[in-house]
């Protein structure tokens, strides 16, 4: 299925985007919380050391104006002499040694301007300071490069775990979506087969608890009603055609008797003849309707039969009609066995050849050919007649459809011949196709499954 229209891919995309956003949001929040916690801890450690520095400055014994700074050995241990992450201090005194710094303190620590916030970050260094008196400042700092490296590692971990969870989530989502949509594919396939003609089939509703199961139930009810309507219609057609047979036979007998009675003048004779033609046409119509009804109920016996002798039989039957219309009948017959009912297959040939004669021009030709391909029997009926217009072509297989241009000139035809032919072909699992060139002729091709050459 194509990407933009597939429900499966759209669900998968939405699910993937949501999962990625959720995991991304979770990862970023976790990282921010951890980095804020680290910074708070470092600031607390720095601030704990500030009071030590403040109390380590006192007035000089020699000159009370001057202040001295000296750390007791215990306090000095709070400031490691060197090493990554070592605490350092810098003390600025207005009256006294201007700058005093621990051994590990960088050379270039600028004095913080009074009034600035008590923490600052300079590159990989974090510093905290205090202004104990006007012009005096004590500062404690340390390198945070190791903490930053830890945070970077945490970021990689979060990214890696997030990507793994995303992949797992996508795979699980694909499986779930596939499982959820599988019934739709099953319903589509079953509905397709039912729409293809097998009205007795039903969708499996084992999963009736879900919404899809309920949909399948609704579709099954619809198909049952369609099936019932279709059966009723077929039965009605068959019953009506059957009931009409007897009165029509009686009418034809009486008309025949009337026509042979003595002393019949021209006027009533013409009326009798017109009535006889009409009754004969009605009989053909009822026969066709009965044939269609029988096909719809499909009770015919199937066997393997060769199309070639069927063509010969049909052509012999129709030769008088061809002669009457000055049509040459040509045959090119190779063995071609199709699986089916001989009587119905004979009807296919008769219908197609009789059309090819009827819709031909005087002096035209009808060419009937049988051939075989592996597993398929092929019958081709071509004529040199008037052809079929592109407007009529899609409709000629419909019941009672007749092209307007020929309607007036072909009394006695019902518009059911091709509908019956197609119904027979389809009931045999075959195909009936037509190509036509108006003014040049038409070619009808029947392909039937079977044994091919006999
Ligand atoms: P009909 O009883 O009218 O022949 P069919 O179902 O056999 O009914 O054919 C339907 C219509 O298809 C015909 O009315 C005719 O217009 C057209 N048709 C069928 N076969 C041919 C053909 N060989 N050449 C031209 N038109 C044809």
């Amino acid at each position: 299925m194509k990407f933009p229209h597939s429900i499966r891919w759209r669900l998968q995309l939405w699910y993937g985007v949501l999962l990625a956003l959720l995991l991304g949001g979770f990862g970023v929040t976790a990282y921010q919380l951890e980095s804020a916690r680290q910074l708070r801890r470092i600031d607390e450690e720095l601030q704990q050391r500030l009071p030590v520095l403040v109390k380590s400055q006192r007035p000089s014994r020699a000159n009370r104006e001057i202040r001295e700074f000296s750390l007791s050995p215990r306090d000095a241990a709070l400031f490691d002499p060197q090493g990554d992450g070592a605490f350092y201090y810098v003390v600025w005194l207005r009256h006294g040694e201007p700058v005093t710094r621990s051994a590990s303190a960088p050379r270039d620590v600028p004095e913080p301007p009074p009034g600035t916030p008590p923490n600052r970050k300079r590159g990989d260094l974090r510093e905290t300071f205090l202004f104990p008196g006007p012009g005096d400042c004590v500062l404690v700092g340390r390198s945070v490069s190791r903490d930053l490296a830890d945070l970077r590692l945490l970021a990689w971990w979060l990214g890696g775990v997030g990507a793994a969870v995303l992949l797992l989530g996508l795979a699980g989502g694909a499986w779930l979506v596939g499982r959820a949509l599988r019934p739709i594919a099953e319903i589509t396939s079953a509905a397709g087969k039912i729409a293809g003609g097998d009205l007795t089939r039903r969708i499996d509703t084992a999963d009736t608890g879900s919404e899809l199961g309920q949909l399948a139930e609704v579709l099954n009810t619809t198909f049952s009603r369609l099936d019932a309507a279709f059966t009723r219609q077929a039965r009605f057609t068959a019953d009506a055609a059957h009931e009409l047979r007897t009165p029509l036979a009686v009418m034809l007998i009486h008309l025949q008797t009337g026509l042979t009675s003595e002393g019949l003048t021209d006027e009533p004779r013409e009326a009798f003849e017109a009535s006889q033609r009409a009754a004969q046409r009605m009989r053909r119509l009822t026969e066709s309707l009965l044939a269609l009804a029988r096909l719809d109920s499909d009770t015919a016996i199937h066997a393997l039969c060769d199309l070639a002798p069927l063509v010969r039989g049909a052509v012999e039957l129709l030769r008088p009609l061809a002669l009457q219309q000055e049509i040459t009948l040509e045959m090119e017959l190779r063995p071609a066995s199709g699986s089916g009912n001989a009587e119905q297959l004979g009807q296919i040939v008769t219908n197609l050849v009789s059309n090819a004669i009827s819709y031909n021009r005087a002096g035209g030709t009808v060419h009937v050919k049988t051939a075989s391909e592996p597993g398929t029997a092929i019958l081709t009926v071509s004529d040199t007649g008037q052809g079929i217009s592109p407007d009529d072509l899609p409709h000629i297989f419909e019941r009672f459809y007749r092209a307007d241009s020929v309607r007036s000139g072909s009394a006695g035809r019902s518009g059911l011949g091709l509908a019956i032919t197609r119904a027979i072909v389809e009931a045999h699992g075959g195909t009936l196709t037509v190509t036509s060139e108006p003014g040049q002729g038409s070619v009808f091709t029947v392909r039937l499954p079977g044994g091919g050459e006999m």
Side-chain angles (χ1 to χ4, degrees), residues 355-356 359 383 386-388 396 401-403 406 413-419 442 444:
N355 275 356
Y359 301 113
D383 63 63
Q386 61 206 25
I388 304 159
I396 56 169
Y401 186 85
R402 311 204 49 231
V406 296
R413 307 196 66 95
S414 61
L416 281 172
L418 285 179
S442 314
F444 287 80

Side-chain angles (χ1 to χ4, degrees), residues 152-437:
R152 265 196 299 277
L153 194 68
L154 175 74
W156 277 109
W157 259 99
L158 285 173
V161 171
V165 172
L166 182 66
L167 279 180
L168 261 174
L170 283 178
W175 180 76
L176 265 179
V177 171
R179 235 179 98 91
L181 292 183
R182 201 178 311 141
I184 295 188
E186 280 163 16
I187 290 176
T188 310
S189 139
K193 283 188 184 129
I194 295 167
D198 187 1
L199 281 176
T200 52
R201 229 184 122 106
R202 291 292 172 269
I203 301 166
D204 182 12
T205 53
D207 188 18
T208 39
S210 78
E211 292 84 340
L212 290 176
Q214 287 162 21
L215 171 70
E217 289 269 6
V218 173
L219 282 175
N220 275 348
T221 314
T222 313
F223 289 135
S224 296
R225 295 178 70 168
L226 262 179
D227 190 15
F230 189 74
T231 314
R232 259 199 314 276
Q233 184 214 340
R235 196 173 309 135
F236 172 78
T237 313
D239 289 351
H242 194 263
E243 291 304 315
L244 282 171
R245 267 172 142 189
T246 320
L248 272 172
V250 174
M251 272 172 73
L252 279 166
I253 291 169
H254 284 303
L255 286 167
Q256 189 59 37
T257 319
L259 271 169
T260 50
S261 61
E262 280 175 27
L264 201 64
T265 56
D266 282 352
E267 211 173 313
R269 174 179 298 280
E270 275 168 23
F272 272 131
E273 278 171 354
S275 305
Q276 192 184 34
R277 279 197 302 276
Q280 273 163 348
R281 181 163 179 235
M282 275 174 81
R283 190 175 56 180
R284 273 197 298 273
L285 202 65
T286 50
E287 294 302 332
S288 299
L289 282 172
L290 258 182
L292 266 177
R294 270 197 221 108
L295 277 173
D296 288 341
S297 58
D298 192 31
T299 50
I301 299 160
H302 287 211
L304 213 57
C305 45
D306 191 0
L307 292 180
L310 293 178
V311 169
R312 246 178 250 119
V315 164
E316 285 321 310
L317 200 74
L318 292 165
R319 201 171 286 286
L321 181 69
L323 275 174
Q324 191 191 354
Q325 303 198 14
E326 298 164 36
I327 308 285
T328 315
L329 286 174
E330 291 174 354
M331 285 187 279
E332 185 186 340
L333 305 179
R334 295 211 182 86
S337 69
S339 150
N341 177 274
E343 196 188 322
Q344 292 180 352
L345 294 183
Q347 176 139 31
I348 295 179
V349 186
T350 312
N351 286 358
L352 291 179
V353 177
S354 107
N355 275 356
I357 297 170
S358 302
Y359 301 113
N360 219 318
R361 58 178 164 78
T365 311
V366 172
H367 189 91
V368 191
K369 186 175 154 189
T370 57
S372 65
E373 277 173 10
T376 312
I378 305 165
L379 165 75
T380 318
V381 181
S382 6
D383 63 63
T384 53
Q386 61 206 25
I388 304 159
S389 79
D391 287 344
D392 291 324
L393 207 56
H395 304 290
I396 56 169
F397 298 109
E398 289 167 14
R399 293 179 184 189
F400 297 109
Y401 186 85
R402 311 204 49 231
D404 270 345
S405 56
V406 296
R407 192 164 288 187
S408 50
S410 52
R413 307 196 66 95
S414 61
L416 281 172
L418 285 179
I420 293 175
T421 307
R422 188 167 73 167
I424 297 176
V425 173
E426 285 179 353
H428 284 73
T431 56
L432 168 60
T433 50
V434 58
T435 53
S436 188
E437 185 88 2

